[in-house]
Amino acid sequence: MKNKLTIYSIITIFSELVWIIGSLLTFYYFYRLLDVPEEDQIFDVIRSYDFLGFKNVPETTLNIIMSTCVLILLISTPLLVMNYKNHHTLKNETYERETGIYLIIAGILSIFSLNIFATVVCILTGITIMIKKPRVKIKFVETEFEKKDIKIKSFVNTLLLFFFLSIVAIIVIVPFYWMILTSLMSKSNFSDYTDMNLYLPFSDMYWINFKEALTKADFGLYIKNTLIVAFTTTIGTVFTTILAAFAFSRLEFKGREMIFTTLLMTMMVPGELYVITNFVTISNTFHWYNTFEALIVPFITDVFYIFFLRQTFKQIPDSLYKAAKVDGCSDLKFLMRVMIPIAMPTLITITILNALGTWNAYVWPRLVTESDHYLVSIALRTSFTNSATQMTDYRLQMAAATIITVPILIVFLFARKYIMRGVGRSGTKG
Amino acid sequence: MEVRLEGLTKQFTETIAVDNVSVTFESGKLIGLLGPSGCGKSTTLFMISGLLKPTKGKIYFGNDDVTNLAPEKRGIGLVFQNYALYPHMTVQQNIMFPLENLKLSRQEALERTKEMATLVGINELLDRKPAQLSGGQQQRVAIARALVKKPRVLLLDEPLSNLDARLRLQTREEIRRIQRETGITTIFVTHDQEEAMSISDKIIVMSKGLVQQEGIPQVVYNKPINLFVSKFLGNPPINTFDGKISNGKIIIGDIELGKTNCNDQNVVIGIRPEDFKVAEDGFEVSITDLSRIGRDTTVYFNLNGIETRALINSEEVSTVNKIKLKVKREKIHLFNPEAGDCINE
Amino acid sequence: MNKFSTFKTKFNDLRWRMRNYKNDVKSLITNFFDKIYIGRIFKLNFFKGMLYLSPALILILIFTLYPIINSLLMAFYENYTPVDGMIDGFTLDNFKSVLKPGFLVAIKNTALIVFVSVPISVIISLFISVMLNSVKFLKSFFQTIFFLPYVTNTIAIGLVFSLMFDFDYGLINSILEFVGNTFVGDFFDLFGVTISPLHWKDSQATYATAMTTLLIYTIWGSLAFKIMVFTAGLQNIDKQYYDAAKVDGTSKWRIFTKITVPLLSPMIAYITITSFIGAFKSYTTVVALFGETGRTAGSVDLRTIVFYIYGYIMNGNALNPGELSRGAAASLMLFGIILVFTVIQMYVNKKRVHY
């Protein structure tokens, strides 16, 4: 017999899952429905659509539906992740009073995602936990020193601290907000610059901009290019890095230290110095100009990652290696069965950093490719400016920027731990 | 399985870690390889295991010459000082790992794992990860992993040094029990003489890459072959004095301790603290300090300018400043001051 | 459930059997090699090490080590044509022809970026990290936000900045206009300063406004990395130091200058060196804001040294004889400048940093 709370939490997770999938499907359905205007028009055209028996539904209604879907996604996804993490504590009954408080807050938030099931069940679970774990009253003995004015002073200090931190946070957030805001604007909304538009109503969020950016500027192709390059370089890098780091950390052979020091020294030379020769090598020796090979092959190894992984491998005690040797374990098997599983966090870090590197690459792809092999960064810079008039379609540009930024932000939110591990040791960005 | 070393030598780039060692580890015994750190005992153990290649000499398991055999082909189990458990595998996976390289069905492997887990008493921990275990439990898993291949020889490298004092006592009894039950030839390395003396069938004392003395613990303790062995064994350590033999008498300063038939010469005299006895006809010393621990009292006094310790039954010590002590003749160890060898009569 | 577990056992059995076969094959091979290689252990080890290293090493040789040497040589070639690899001899002219007035402007631009953005961003991020470290509630929330710029695409966010600093559509000018119409604007009017929309980066932009835009973006983008490193460093400082200072009643400012900064000095040194190197190599920030010409429409030149280097390769320039050599010479000069600054930095750090 499972306990009641486990069933509750399963209901919550299930309902949130259904909600998320539902809103995703709904969003996709309407996204498919939208028509991208064929010609460049200066003014907005009021479009209307027929679907599911409804006739002549104006685009603003669609905007409202799609915006709601996104809102539901924005609220439900984090709640789902957190509830999933909480599920374990509820199952093992290792929860605290705080879990209950959190669940009630989650329930209240669920109201905004219109998810009644989750709201009711979350609050119910929260209250059950709060009843099961009553507040433990701790009496603080006030000392002579803790006079009231000191308390007030420290309160004001904390308040000031939060004030400053919030201001910085806003400064950091504003460009992202501005980007998303612009990407959703209609033409008239955007050109009406005399008003400072700090928000948009749901009906004015034109999700069609994304579709326009993806199809018109051929941005889908560039995303595909980038994904191909990111995927192959990452696999290649992980493969070469593991082997090299293993050789540098476990195998003993003549010249090992000398080779390693030489590699470390190359890290000090700025990349600009070897870009020139590499350009000649790629385009004249290998004839790879404007091919995927040019974007992939030079980047399937990285001295920094080898160094980074070697450090992790070195921390694995030598006695593990010896123990495996005694048991007749070959080097390769030891690498596969023991070292790689132990060094998994570092490998994840390397994977993420490398994929991010490709996603953000600009200079090298610009040098060795032409428009059909561009990666997202270059396409973003060049695709939305009309070459004849030098006018930039900011809305579509921002929509494209949002398309390439949001996935990274999601990866970052989920894998912050791994990214930060790598950052502590890496050099500069880019 | 008897293990025999013949003229075993290991030379690292500059130092000779093990120098021409020839010893025999008898079959079915628990043998302690004892010595201070850097004496070459671990090097010897690793050469037996095959992880290190000897510079010279031969290693025999029974009649087989295994000197050039790879570790996995020797049939040994090795337990490391830090246990060397794979952190990402459960206890069961850890114990089963060595069996992967043998010709065994998975069913057999599982049975053997169960069997070993029962032997070392970790049956209920099979699904845990090493990080969730205490030091003592990890130690047992390491032993089970070493034994699961049914090795011919079990090697333990400092098996107790990572445990706290209470666990150490318990675990060493455990090692003794497991060795008795399996009857496997076991060689263990330690720098702790008490540990070695308490559970070994035989100890081998090493220093500077050389075997100093081997034998049954009590015999080695009572009849140390040289000054080093006498100093290394025993806690509190042996008292040593510069003395001499003149006219068949053993003399420290102006105190005569007993008679001998050796020639007149300068000697180093060693007396273990517990060998002092209170006696009316003994020599008188003035006590500088006392520390009473239960049944025994450690008496500190100055003998011929040397701070000396004597372990005496508490009942025999009154709070007087002076005490009369005597040492039995056979408990007085005489050593050559230059070479440090024991002087035999 | 039961079915699943039997399936699991079966699967594990299968895996185990596969391993058995693999081991058979392996022992055949190793036995063979054991026979061959007896007494040649050393060579086997070297062979094996190289086998593991080769994928990485070959690539590094081709794309890192060889280019370094080749670029060094290339900088001294005369009339080098990359297509047939012909040269007319060795010369120092490449360096001379790089040192045009335009290149000096690039050096000036780069120097401005380096010496303004790095100190400012180091100081700001240090303060932010200290503030962040003294907060418990919402700490990881703030952390997440402050770290966002680190992962984002320099070009994408640069374009957002470019829009935000736009004369007509930009947020910044909207704010300036809004503020200018309030009492704050009137207040500043008293001192003869008018708060009104500025031409940040369009055709009417001046060098000062364009450079300011660039610097703001550079600083904004570089804060995240520094905050990350500093917060990591602050977390490693033993709390006991602060407790001791608290017992002594030390003021907050003194704690900051006498405890935090000295204990963080290795981090600060590391950050300054890497940021200087990074700032010397600034390129994408300029491209994001001002496009690949590196100029505003009113031809205010904001090109950096790296701009010059790439200018010799881009748009088919590479095919002209001698262009690549000039690029190599320019990149060598950049390397030299960076090297000199790093050495100076390290020398200064040696005296100041408490390790």
Side-chain angles (χ1 to χ4, degrees), chain C residues 107-147:
Chain C
I107 290 182
K108 188 183 99 185
N109 288 336
T110 313
L112 255 173
I113 296 173
V114 170
F115 295 110
V116 177
S117 80
V118 173
I120 290 180
S121 62
V122 167
I123 290 169
I124 293 179
S125 57
L126 188 59
F127 277 109
I128 292 175
S129 323
V130 171
M131 283 200 280
L132 199 58
N133 199 44
S134 54
V135 165
K136 277 207 191 78
F137 183 64
L138 287 181
K139 183 176 178 175
S140 66
F141 171 74
F142 280 123
Q143 250 177 354
T144 313
I145 289 179
F146 294 160
F147 298 166

Side-chain angles (χ1 to χ4, degrees), chain B residues 69-250:
Chain B
L69 225 50
E72 69 268 20
K73 290 175 185 155
R74 293 186 181 197
I76 49 152
L78 183 54
V79 176
F80 289 87
Q81 185 172 359
N82 54 6
Y83 320 132
L85 300 177
Y86 306 115
H88 59 293
M89 299 185 190
T90 62
V91 169
Q92 176 166 337
Q93 285 167 334
N94 258 293
I95 299 176
M96 267 173 84
F97 190 72
L99 297 177
E100 279 179 15
N101 300 320
L102 300 180
K103 263 188 120 35
L104 269 183
S105 77
R106 187 164 175 271
Q107 206 50 45
E108 276 176 285
L110 277 172
E111 273 163 25
R112 275 223 213 159
T113 308
K114 281 267 157 55
E115 186 190 330
M116 283 306 139
T118 320
L119 176 72
V120 299
I122 47 160
N123 251 332
E124 63 284 13
L125 307 174
L126 282 177
D127 290 330
R128 298 226 196 139
K129 292 266 175 79
Q132 296 167 302
L133 303 178
S134 71
Q137 288 167 335
Q138 290 187 18
Q139 171 72 277
R140 287 163 192 225
V141 177
I143 292 176
R145 189 179 66 182
L147 286 176
V148 76
K149 285 188 306 182
K150 308 245 152 109
R152 304 191 281 184
V153 181
L154 177 64
L155 308 172
L156 306 162
D157 182 20
E158 303 265 6
L160 304 173
S161 62
N162 277 8
L163 301 173
D164 60 43
R166 202 174 51 82
L167 261 177
R168 209 175 284 185
L169 274 176
Q170 200 186 330
T171 310
R172 76 184 190 205
E173 296 308 322
E174 191 69 20
I175 290 175
R176 183 80 192 131
R177 180 185 66 77
I178 293 168
Q179 194 270 333
R180 283 272 156 76
E181 274 181 32
T182 53
I184 185 173
T185 311
T186 305
I187 304 169
F188 80 101
V189 156
T190 179
H191 62 269
D192 183 348
Q193 47 94 18
E194 198 184 325
E195 199 176 293
M197 305 246 301
S198 59
I199 56 169
S200 313
D201 295 318
K202 173 181 165 181
I203 57 171
I204 295 167
V205 184
M206 287 186 73
S207 168
K208 293 174 185 160
L210 295 163
V211 171
Q212 303 291 335
Q213 193 173 2
E214 54 179 300
I216 296 160
Q218 209 51 40
V219 173
V220 177
Y221 185 76
N222 287 333
K223 293 269 175 240
I225 206 165
N226 58 28
L227 195 55
F228 170 80
V229 177
S230 73
K231 276 185 175 167
F232 191 71
L233 298 181
N235 186 28
I238 196 166
N239 301 301
T240 54
F241 311 94
D242 291 326
K244 63 183 177 192
I245 299 172
S246 76
N247 301 328
K249 292 172 188 163
I250 304 164

Side-chain angles (χ1 to χ4, degrees), chain A residues 273 331 362 366 381 416 426, chain C residues 48 71 144 270 287-288 292:
Chain A
L273 194 65
D331 277 342
Y362 180 83
R366 174 70 186 80
R381 175 70 255 187
R416 205 187 62 173
S426 75
Chain C
K48 202 164 151 189
S71 297
T144 313
Y270 165 73
V287 172
E292 273 174 0

Side-chain angles (χ1 to χ4, degrees), chain A residues 258-277:
Chain A
M258 196 198 75
I259 296 172
F260 189 66
T261 331
T262 318
L263 292 196
L264 278 191
M265 286 193 334
T266 63
M267 274 169 71
M268 305 216 288
V269 180
E272 286 72 16
L273 194 65
Y274 38 84
V275 158
I276 292 172
T277 303

Side-chain angles (χ1 to χ4, degrees), chain B residues 53 70 73 96-97 99-107 109-110, chain C residues 8-9 12-14 16 19-20 23-24 26-27 30-31 34 41:
Chain B
K53 287 255 178 305
K73 290 175 185 155
M96 267 173 84
F97 190 72
L99 297 177
E100 279 179 15
N101 300 320
L102 300 180
K103 263 188 120 35
L104 269 183
S105 77
R106 187 164 175 271
Q107 206 50 45
L110 277 172
Chain C
K8 214 170 138 190
T9 349
N12 279 337
D13 276 344
L14 188 73
W16 189 274
R19 257 180 220 145
N20 275 351
N23 286 334
D24 285 351
K26 203 190 75 192
S27 64
T30 49
N31 280 341
D34 276 0
I41 303 291

